[in-house]
């Protein structure tokens, strides 16, 4: 069976004790920390900026998976890179030179991903697949944790899996939103490599058991 990576989202963490919660995630078996950056413009919510990432970097060596839900990723991505991001994902729906931005992020020495919102089809990013390290498929409308998984996104995951495998692209599929023990097997079967999970892990009495239940 292929290895699945769990990216534990800090969106459901206690923001007054982020370092502690990240250590809970680490002890529970998460390999990536998923950091949801929202600007109150691209999405109707505001979360954190690069200063928080910089402080958190001192508290853990886990892989930082930064999900930029911002209107202007070209302006801000370098702050996150300097603060310790290992991967920066921006949204396909923003107005920018997407290929150029992917290349700039990669040539800075970290990984680059693109995310698609539920209404954005895979065809929008197909031409970029050869240069992407990761595609993030949103299975909720971005903006908030704790929403229900949109099952009708599963064909998008399958379609991406097929495109990546047939063309032998070096790109992983990450799925984000509403992941729990019921929805994770659906995503894994459809071809996901990385599962983002926020509320399910951090609200569990036993986060370690919660992560195990995602991998069965
Ligand atoms: C939503 C964020 C998600 C969120 C997932 O816009 O991108 O990463 O943290 O939270 P859960 O797992 O609670 O759906
Ligand atoms: Zn996210």
């Amino acid at each position: 069976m292929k290895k699945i990576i769990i990216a534990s989202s800090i969106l459901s963490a206690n923001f007054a004790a982020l370092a502690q919660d990240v250590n809970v995630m680490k002890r529970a078996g998460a390999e990536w920390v998923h950091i949801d950056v929202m600007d109150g413009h691209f999405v109707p919510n505001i979360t954190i900026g690069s200063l928080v990432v910089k402080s958190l970097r001192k508290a853990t060596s886990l892989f930082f998976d930064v999900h930029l839900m911002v209107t202007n990723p070209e302006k801000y991505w370098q702050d996150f890179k300097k603060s310790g991001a290992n991967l920066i994902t921006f949204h396909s729906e923003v107005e920018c030179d997407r290929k150029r931005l992917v290349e700039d992020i990669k040539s800075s020495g970290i990984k680059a991903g693109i995310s698609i919102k539920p209404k954005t089809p895979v065809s929008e990013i197909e031409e970029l697949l050869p240069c992407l390290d990761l595609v993030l498929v949103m299975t909720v409308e971005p903006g908030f944790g704790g929403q229900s998984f949109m099952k009708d996104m599963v064909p998008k995951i399958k379609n991406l899996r097929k495109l990546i495998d047939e063309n032998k692209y070096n790109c992983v599929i990450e799925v984000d939103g509403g992941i729990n023990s019921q929805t994770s097997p659906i995503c894994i079967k459809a071809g996901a490599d990385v599962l983002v999970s926020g509320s399910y892990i951090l609200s569990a009495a036993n986060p370690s058991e919660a992560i195990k239940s995602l991998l069965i």
Side-chain angles (χ1 to χ4, degrees):
M1 224 179 85
K2 84 168 173 188
K3 183 175 154 44
I4 303 293
I5 291 173
I6 299 298
S8 191
S9 168
I10 60 168
L11 196 58
S12 299
N14 172 5
F15 275 56
L18 269 183
Q20 277 168 40
D21 274 3
V22 166
N23 281 319
V24 167
M25 294 167 178
K26 185 179 181 185
R27 280 199 302 274
E31 288 177 65
W32 289 12
V33 179
H34 184 84
I35 301 175
D36 287 307
V37 176
M38 306 187 187
D39 65 354
H41 188 263
F42 181 74
V43 287
N45 196 6
I46 298 175
T47 53
I48 59 170
S50 60
L51 290 177
V52 175
V53 177
K54 192 176 173 187
S55 298
L56 207 52
R57 183 74 286 173
K58 295 181 190 130
T60 180
S61 58
L62 283 179
F63 186 94
F64 277 3
D65 162 25
V66 173
H67 179 190
L68 293 183
M69 284 162 274
V70 304
T71 301
N72 194 346
E74 283 166 315
K75 186 172 174 189
Y76 295 105
W77 75 269
Q78 291 184 67
D79 292 342
F80 288 92
K81 140 84 185 150
K82 284 183 206 138
S83 299
N86 300 102
L87 158 72
I88 291 182
T89 298
F90 62 95
H91 268 266
S92 175
E93 300 83 7
V94 301
E95 268 185 43
C96 74
D97 183 340
R98 297 175 307 167
K99 190 158 194 289
R100 174 86 195 271
L101 183 51
V102 167
E103 277 161 5
D104 285 351
I105 295 171
K106 284 173 71 173
S107 54
S108 82
I110 59 173
K111 293 189 182 300
I114 288 197
S115 180
I116 47 174
K117 296 209 286 186
K119 287 192 186 75
T120 305
V122 168
S123 57
E124 282 290 317
I125 52 150
E126 200 174 329
E127 59 171 358
L128 295 166
L129 286 175
C131 62
L132 284 174
D133 293 309
L134 175 144
V135 175
L136 171 50
V137 178
M138 291 301 306
T139 44
V140 296
E141 285 298 340
F144 300 92
Q147 303 182 74
S148 299
F149 180 80
M150 297 167 76
K151 236 183 170 166
D152 45 348
M153 295 300 116
V154 174
K156 275 162 84 166
I157 306 170
K158 287 185 180 160
N159 185 6
L160 269 168
R161 181 79 273 152
K162 196 163 174 273
L163 284 169
I164 290 170
D165 289 350
E166 280 176 2
N167 295 285
K168 299 192 169 50
Y169 293 139
N170 201 7
C171 173
V172 299
I173 303 172
E174 181 173 34
V175 180
D176 184 7
I179 299 295
N180 56 38
S181 58
Q182 264 83 51
T183 56
S184 74
I186 301 170
C187 298
I188 293 171
K189 197 163 165 243
D193 303 292
V194 184
L195 299 175
V196 177
S197 185
S199 51
Y200 180 69
I201 296 173
L202 284 178
S203 67
N206 185 335
S208 172
E209 288 303 318
I211 287 185
K212 277 192 199 120
S213 77
L214 295 176
L215 298 171
I216 293 169

